[in-house]
Amino acid sequence: MRTVLVIYLTSDLIKWDDNTATAVYHAFTVLAYLFPLLGAMLADSMWGKYWTILSLSCVYAIGSGINMMSAIKPIGGDNLTVHAALVSIGLIVIAFGTGGIKPCVSAFGGDQFTKEQDNYRRSFFSLFYFAINAGSLVSTFVSPIIRDQVQCFGDDCYALAFGVPTALMFVAIILFVIGTKYYTRLEPTGNVFVSVSKTIWRAIKLRSKVPSKHRNKEHWLDYAHDGTNSQEIQEIKYVLRVLILYIPLPLFWSLFDQQGSRWTLQAVRMNGVMGDTVILPDQFQICNPLIIIILIPIFEATLYPFLRKKNINFSPLKRMGLGMWFAGLAFIVAALVQTMIDENLTLVPRSDESSIRVLNGANVPCTFSGNIYGWDKNPEIVGSGNTTKTLEKVTTPGSYNIEYNCAGTTGSVPVTLEHEKAYDLIIYMNGATPTAGNAIIRQTKKSNSGKAYISIANAYQDALKVSVKGDKGSGGALTVAIGTKGTYEEVSQDEYTIVAEGDPMSFEKLNVLTGAAYTVFIYNDGSHKYIKDIYENDVNLFWMVPQYFIITLGEVFLSVTGLEFAYSQAPQSMKSVLQSFWLLTVSVGNIIVLIVAETSLIPSQADEYYLFAGLIAAAAILFMILANNYEYVDEAMLNQFAEDDKSSTSSVSSEKSQDGDIETDEKKSKHGRANEAFEKDIGFEKNTKL
């Protein structure tokens, strides 16, 4: 769904600008990785992981359905507010649903393994990540094709692109339910968040009452000790030690998640044509899951075993630190690619800017003056069939008065220029009198599919009917009134013949290039000129492969490793909690991008990439310092704590049974079933190194 989300938000159904679309994309990601805190609370204290996954998967599916409805044009018609409201509601519901799934799925998978199957469990996290990216690979390839090549209600079929994942989500829920009897389902251990918060508050409060010179406890949490909670305090210490390591991680995610926003918008400005094949901008995100599913097996089967065999210490924290450096390097490469793009990028109005260009279709030269572009002091003279030199010239939005003098015929045209828009004003012959039309909005945004636009500007005669014909497709007859423009949207790269129906005018072929926008200016006695409004995409899309490869290396080292690290370093009662805080770092990282995108303080996209590269470098240094001081927790110790807790619980249960409150084995296991899938391999696993 996220593959086509940014492009959908900038489509004609929503019409948000690039910065707004980027901000909404990352705001959604913030919520999607913030709600896991709630999901972990529900799983660990009330519902258990199984019921949390099942219940909130249904919520996710409903949200996905609402998202699909937002893309059905008849539901809202031309009312953009309806579509925007529906997609906003859908994204919030999806975020809530996925928030319950994310912290539980990997932890629930880890629960299926016994302590004797530690190596199996380690491989599981890599295979789990492999499976996620295999699914992402398929969706990233298919969704843009559905969007671009299937037409719904006369436009790109976003409804079907969102509908297919919705249907597959319902299928996944059914399959999850079918496997219920095979799952190990552990009982909820109580409201861990509340318990931990109370213990931390108790420690802070009691410590504050002790004078500084009398504070002799080894750890500040020890002040919460009441004689019965020593195990809980020790477990909280383990969790806090890991959480300190999480402090620099948001910077990694602030870079990584820009693949679906800034990097997709970067791809829109690049050339995806490869012979007869066109790679769509949002489709190029396939690089990430494709590289992932290649690298994970290679690393698991060759790199990591080789390093272990050579006794090279490539610990999880070292891998994670290296992953952060790779992310920074990827953004330096992205900045260099952006610099290549900017060399041939048309300057268009940004926020608080506007622009207007005058096309002179009169049969005489015209002089333009007025309170814009300094024409009041230096009027601009434009010959017949030419335009003012203001294609890439911007001004402040507002009301202006453009005056013209065409061989003694004078006139004045009031125009109102809006933010981030560009306009064309056409001078045409009304009989023998040069006349000005109204200001018409000009295309300034590249096509999301990488295709081109062709506009017809008519300064020739009333109701000029024009069509375009090419080998890869043709545009139907377009009727254009005099003094106005008509546009063919998203035509493929090809050579096109312009045909004016019922008129003997002759046009040479127009060579249309990907990502460009052209105006066919027909004027005076039937003369014409081809004007390039937006320069073509001249940087090949495959220049993005290095940055995708490098950041995916970073993901393998940091994210895949981090999942297993977070699970292995957490006590059994707090595994979902630590997983949810891991996901929270993703949320915080997206808040960083959200702030940068909304403030728009850095006008150059290349400079913004360099900024993020510098931030991640600082974060990587901090992480290395923190990791150097971290001592790994022996999982056997954590397991021993769990066993001690069970023994304590058994003692309490025994005392209760003497009072008639009997807790049977059947009652304790009613929410779980031992997974027999690995039992036959336990003996083998003990004597085998994976």
Side-chain angles (χ1 to χ4, degrees):
M1 185 274 293
R2 290 205 303 172
T3 303
V4 299
L5 181 58
V6 166
I7 289 182
Y8 171 58
L9 296 177
T10 59
S11 71
D12 289 338
L13 282 172
I14 308 295
K15 287 189 175 179
W16 286 337
D17 60 39
D18 287 357
N19 280 339
T20 302
T22 298
V24 171
Y25 175 92
H26 288 284
F28 163 69
T29 308
V30 166
L31 293 178
Y33 287 93
L34 184 62
F35 281 127
L37 288 173
L38 177 60
M41 290 179 65
L42 292 173
D44 285 344
S45 62
M46 296 174 60
W47 297 350
K49 298 184 187 74
Y50 173 83
W51 285 110
T52 302
I53 293 170
L54 180 58
S55 302
L56 294 183
S57 290
C58 295
V59 173
Y60 182 104
I62 292 170
S64 188
I66 296 173
N67 220 30
M68 176 188 68
M69 292 171 59
S70 75
I72 299 176
K73 191 170 184 177
I75 290 180
D78 293 328
N79 190 336
L80 301 181
T81 304
V82 174
H83 297 289
L86 282 173
V87 73
S88 299
I89 294 170
L91 291 175
I92 291 172
V93 175
I94 290 173
F96 180 73
T98 195
I101 301 169
K102 286 183 181 296
C104 298
V105 171
S106 59
F108 185 67
D111 289 344
Q112 309 308 305
F113 301 89
T114 66
K115 59 184 179 181
E116 291 86 3
Q117 297 166 337
D118 177 62
N119 282 341
Y120 280 132
R121 193 198 68 219
R122 291 178 185 275
S123 296
F124 160 76
F125 282 105
S126 291
L127 293 174
F128 170 73
Y129 212 83
F130 178 91
I132 289 175
N133 283 276
S136 177
L137 176 68
V138 175
S139 64
T140 304
F141 180 76
V142 174
S143 295
I145 293 177
I146 294 174
R147 170 191 67 77
D148 183 67
Q149 298 188 8
V150 179
Q151 293 290 300
C152 297
F153 316 110
D155 205 347
D156 286 350
C157 198
Y158 291 98
L160 186 59
F162 293 142
V164 171
T166 301
L168 292 177
M169 188 64 192
F170 280 108
V171 172
I173 292 171
I174 294 171
L175 294 176
F176 181 73
V177 172
I178 291 174
T180 298
K181 66 179 182 179
Y182 299 105
Y183 304 145
T184 297
R185 295 157 57 191
L186 304 180
E187 293 277 4
T189 55
N191 198 325
V192 179
F193 276 98
V194 174
S195 175
V196 169
S197 299
K198 286 182 177 179
T199 301
I200 291 176
W201 173 247
R202 175 182 170 82
I204 294 173
K205 184 173 66 173
L206 294 178
R207 183 177 182 272
S208 65
K209 294 179 180 180
V210 179
S212 300
K213 60 182 179 180
H214 296 302
R215 293 175 184 173
N216 54 4
K217 300 286 187 181
E218 183 178 351
H219 194 281
W220 62 270
L221 270 172
D222 292 333
Y223 286 92
H225 194 278
D226 60 6
T228 63
N229 61 348
S230 58
Q231 179 178 327
E232 180 185 36
I233 290 173
Q234 188 60 42
E235 290 180 346
I236 295 174
K237 289 179 182 178
Y238 290 144
V239 170
L240 291 179
R241 289 171 67 246
V242 176
L243 291 183
I244 291 174
L245 289 173
Y246 284 5
I247 293 174
L249 296 187
L251 265 300
F252 174 83
W253 298 115
S254 69
L255 276 67
F256 180 81
D257 279 338
Q258 290 188 55
Q259 292 179 79
S261 57
R262 290 301 198 201
W263 283 16
T264 298
L265 295 173
Q266 184 183 48
V268 166
R269 295 164 174 81
M270 301 180 73
N271 188 349
V273 177
M274 298 291 293
D276 293 330
T277 303
V278 178
I279 300 174
L280 303 174
D282 44 350
Q283 197 175 37
F284 206 67
Q285 295 176 57
I286 197 174
C287 288
N288 176 253
L290 180 61
I291 296 170
I292 277 282
I293 64 175
I294 293 173
L295 290 183
I296 287 179
I298 292 176
F299 282 12
E300 287 294 324
T302 59
L303 178 62
Y304 297 151
F306 172 78
L307 294 175
R308 284 195 294 267
K309 184 178 180 180
K310 297 296 183 180
N311 292 321
I312 297 175
N313 182 14
F314 196 33
S315 65
L317 292 181
K318 288 183 178 179
R319 295 182 215 169
M320 293 169 68
L322 183 60
M324 299 180 79
W325 287 109
F326 274 128
L329 179 59
F331 264 63
I332 292 175
V333 175
L336 295 175
V337 172
Q338 187 65 44
T339 302
M340 294 167 60
I341 295 171
D342 290 346
E343 290 179 1
N344 196 37
L345 197 62
T346 310
L347 179 64
V348 298
R350 299 172 64 90
S351 178
D352 296 326
E353 293 178 345
S354 191
S355 176
I356 189 167
R357 175 182 65 179
V358 184
L359 290 75
N360 181 17
N363 57 7
V364 294
C366 294
T367 301
F368 297 98
S369 58
N371 59 342
I372 188 172
Y373 293 133
W375 286 348
D376 53 342
K377 296 181 179 179
N378 298 295
E380 184 169 350
I381 301 174
V382 180
S384 177
N386 292 312
T387 71
T388 55
K389 298 175 181 179
T390 54
L391 173 65
E392 298 183 85
K393 208 169 184 179
V394 296
T395 187
T396 304
S399 296
Y400 296 92
N401 200 54
I402 297 178
E403 300 172 0
Y404 60 91
N405 185 334
C406 302
T409 301
T410 61
S412 178
V413 184
V415 295
T416 300
L417 307 184
E418 298 181 8
H419 293 256
E420 294 188 81
K421 292 183 179 179
Y423 299 82
D424 277 344
L425 178 66
I426 300 174
I427 304 295
Y428 61 93
M429 296 300 296
N430 184 9
T433 305
T435 306
N438 295 320
I440 308 157
I441 294 178
R442 182 177 76 245
Q443 182 69 37
T444 58
K445 181 180 167 187
K446 286 181 177 287
S447 161
N448 289 333
S449 63
K451 294 182 180 179
Y453 295 96
I454 300 177
S455 297
I456 310 296
N458 180 14
Y460 172 53
Q461 64 181 29
D462 288 329
L464 185 63
K465 188 175 285 188
V466 180
S467 59
V468 297
K469 298 180 179 179
D471 294 336
K472 295 181 180 179
S474 301
L478 189 68
T479 301
V480 185
I482 192 167
T484 64
K485 294 178 70 174
T487 302
Y488 291 100
E489 295 187 1
E490 301 199 356
V491 296
S492 300
Q493 177 171 303
D494 198 2
E495 285 191 343
Y496 289 88
T497 301
I498 313 298
V499 178
E501 296 185 12
D503 197 287
M505 287 187 294
S506 176
F507 295 84
E508 67 270 18
K509 287 191 174 183
L510 172 61
N511 184 24
V512 173
L513 300 175
T514 181
Y518 302 86
T519 290
V520 180
F521 183 29
I522 305 173
Y523 61 95
N524 196 1
D525 56 355
S527 301
H528 68 275
K529 177 175 286 187
Y530 297 147
I531 305 170
K532 190 178 292 184
D533 299 336
I534 301 176
Y535 304 137
E536 69 275 9
N537 298 345
D538 61 344
V539 179
N540 194 282
L541 193 57
F542 279 83
W543 277 104
M544 293 187 75
V545 170
Q547 67 198 58
Y548 269 104
F549 179 78
I550 295 169
I551 203 166
T552 305
L553 273 176
E555 180 186 8
V556 172
F557 285 130
L558 187 140
S559 187
V560 179
T561 304
L563 276 174
E564 197 279 329
F565 175 78
Y567 186 91
S568 67
Q569 297 296 290
Q572 181 62 45
S573 62
M574 298 188 185
K575 291 190 184 297
S576 288
V577 174
L578 205 53
Q579 292 285 345
S580 65
F581 274 103
W582 169 264
L583 298 173
L584 182 63
T585 64
V586 182
S587 180
V588 176
N590 280 268
I591 291 175
I592 296 172
V593 184
L594 187 62
I595 293 171
V596 173
E598 277 297 280
T599 54
S600 302
L601 296 177
I602 304 176
S604 168
Q605 186 57 61
D607 290 344
E608 184 179 296
Y609 288 150
Y610 283 125
L611 170 66
F612 278 106
L615 291 175
I616 192 66
I621 293 172
L622 175 59
F623 183 84
M624 291 170 62
I625 295 171
L626 295 174
N628 189 56
N629 296 322
Y630 182 82
E631 294 182 9
Y632 287 87
V633 178
D634 186 353
E635 288 188 69
M637 185 183 300
L638 296 177
N639 291 332
Q640 184 61 47
F641 277 135
E643 292 297 328
D644 292 344
D645 187 46
K646 289 180 182 178
S647 299
S648 175
T649 303
S650 299
S651 299
V652 173
S653 299
S654 176
E655 292 175 5
K656 285 185 177 181
S657 66
Q658 293 175 7
D659 295 328
D661 187 5
I662 301 175
E663 182 177 353
T664 65
D665 290 340
E666 180 181 357
K667 182 177 179 181
K668 286 190 288 185
S669 62
K670 69 176 183 177
H671 291 297
R673 171 170 173 163
N675 188 346
E676 301 173 357
F678 293 94
E679 287 187 1
K680 62 180 180 295
D681 291 330
I682 290 177
F684 168 78
E685 193 270 347
K686 286 181 179 178
N687 297 291
T688 305
K689 292 184 179 180
L690 297 181

